[in-house]
Amino acid sequence: MAVNREISGFLREGLELGLPRRQLERVLLEAGWPRDQVQGALAGFADVEFPIPVPRPSPYLSAREAFVYLILFSTLYVSAFSLGSLLFAFIDRAFPDPSADPAAAVEVTRETIRWSISFLVVTFPVFAFVFWNNDRAVRDDPGRRLSRVRQSLTYLTLLAGAAILIGVLTTIVYNLLGGELTARFALKVLTVGAITGSVFGYFLRDVRRED
């Protein structure tokens, strides 16, 4: 959200005069300014003791970090999908579909396992390496959390995770109402829920820590 320059200038002058932040916020709200604009502008100044207002760092865009985060998130998506496909294949082997041709099902399952393992062997080490290096860089320089690419991909991942989890829960309810909840189906639903829930939970916790 863009910060209103009028509000920002007013707050800067007020803070320079030593007026309390809560008083400045209350005055702006009483004047009719939207709460989100007031709080956004006020958040632009650090709450530290200093003779003049100290601005907070603002979100930025870096081509290098865009490349790093695109690699990080793309390998995460591929690794999660490949792990899910691999577990699905094992479930299909343990609980074969009685209506499918056994020979064809075995061949499809074998190919799925080979492709899934191949993707995991290639993408997961890349993800782990990039994640470890990036996480260390963020710990050393917390300002890197303000990368616009990082924020955008994080919220995109949360949106996708929330949509998948809602879809999983809806599917469970639908099958329960129809009395069609088999062991094969339940294990696949648990697989999707566990993988998606783990990713969603991590990034949600990361966003809360950032806030």
Side-chain angles (χ1 to χ4, degrees), residues 2-210:
V3 176
N4 187 289
R5 293 187 177 182
E6 291 185 64
I7 301 178
S8 182
F10 172 82
L11 290 173
R12 181 181 293 276
E13 293 180 9
L15 292 172
E16 287 177 350
L17 294 174
L19 297 176
R21 298 167 69 95
R22 290 186 178 275
Q23 181 181 356
L24 293 171
E25 180 181 359
R26 185 177 65 253
V27 168
L28 287 169
L29 293 175
E30 290 176 354
W33 288 99
R35 182 177 297 274
D36 58 341
Q37 290 189 23
V38 174
Q39 293 179 344
L42 195 59
F45 298 97
D47 191 8
V48 296
E49 294 293 335
F50 201 69
I52 61 174
V54 180
R56 291 184 186 273
S58 58
Y60 66 94
L61 186 62
S62 166
R64 178 184 176 278
E65 291 194 3
F67 172 76
V68 171
Y69 282 115
L70 286 172
I71 293 294
L72 175 65
F73 280 87
S74 60
T75 52
L76 170 63
Y77 299 152
V78 174
S79 298
F81 181 81
S82 299
L83 177 60
S85 297
L86 182 62
L87 294 177
F88 271 32
F90 289 147
I91 293 171
D92 288 337
R93 276 203 167 186
F95 301 92
D97 186 357
S99 63
D101 179 24
V106 169
E107 183 62 28
V108 171
T109 302
R110 184 182 295 113
E111 287 296 313
T112 301
I113 291 175
R114 289 175 59 190
W115 276 114
S116 299
I117 292 177
S118 300
F119 274 114
L120 283 172
V121 168
V122 175
T123 59
F124 185 75
V126 175
F127 164 74
F129 175 76
V130 175
F131 176 84
W132 180 78
N133 277 279
N134 185 69
D135 187 62
R136 185 179 61 177
V138 170
R139 287 199 305 269
D140 294 339
D141 181 12
R144 289 177 177 267
R145 289 182 173 274
L146 295 174
S147 169
R148 291 188 183 275
V149 177
R150 179 181 186 276
Q151 293 176 346
S152 299
L153 290 175
T154 297
Y155 281 103
L156 179 63
T157 302
L158 287 174
L159 175 62
I164 293 173
L165 289 175
I166 291 173
V168 167
L169 292 175
T170 303
T171 305
I172 291 175
V173 173
Y174 177 82
N175 281 270
L176 281 174
L177 293 175
E180 302 173 357
L181 190 63
T182 63
R184 185 169 180 265
F185 169 79
L187 288 173
K188 288 188 175 182
V189 167
L190 288 175
T191 298
V192 175
I195 295 174
T196 306
S198 299
V199 175
F200 181 85
Y202 172 81
F203 284 106
L204 182 61
R205 188 166 59 251
D206 188 61
V207 167
R208 289 177 174 173
R209 185 167 62 246
E210 179 178 323

